[in-house]
Amino acid sequence: MREKKPYFVVTYFTTAEAMATERICKAKGIDGKLVSAPRSVSADCGIAWRCAPENKDRTMAALDEAGIEVQGCHDLML
């Protein structure tokens, strides 16, 4: 079993918002990736953006600037 690590996870109402997050974060050089939403959180579209905790502020600032609506933000051990 692999060791769990801390991550910042953002969930969305729609797949379009999740995919827009990936495009925006890649353009701004924010490391992370789209993943299946963890079972411990709710995501209407089933997709989440996962990144390192140190990218939390940059990620949220980029999403706010772009007007991306998020369903939830979570600090998780995955």
Side-chain angles (χ1 to χ4, degrees):
M1 190 164 145
R2 71 176 180 85
E3 186 177 327
K4 292 186 176 188
K5 296 174 15 179
Y7 288 101
F8 176 64
V9 177
V10 182
T11 57
Y12 305 91
F13 293 104
T14 69
T15 302
E17 292 164 331
M19 295 178 74
T21 296
E22 181 179 45
R23 187 184 74 249
I24 291 162
C25 288
K26 298 281 184 200
K28 293 188 175 280
I30 302 169
D31 289 332
K33 68 180 188 174
L34 290 178
V35 296
S36 296
R39 292 181 187 159
S40 60
V41 299
S42 176
D44 285 353
C45 72
I47 300 174
W49 175 256
R50 183 185 81 184
C51 64
E54 55 268 16
N55 290 333
K56 178 179 184 174
D57 293 335
R58 287 184 62 211
T59 298
M60 292 311 298
L63 296 181
D64 286 343
E65 182 182 315
I68 301 294
E69 183 179 8
V70 301
Q71 185 172 5
C73 301
H74 312 275
D75 292 305
L76 301 174
M77 293 294 287
L78 301 174

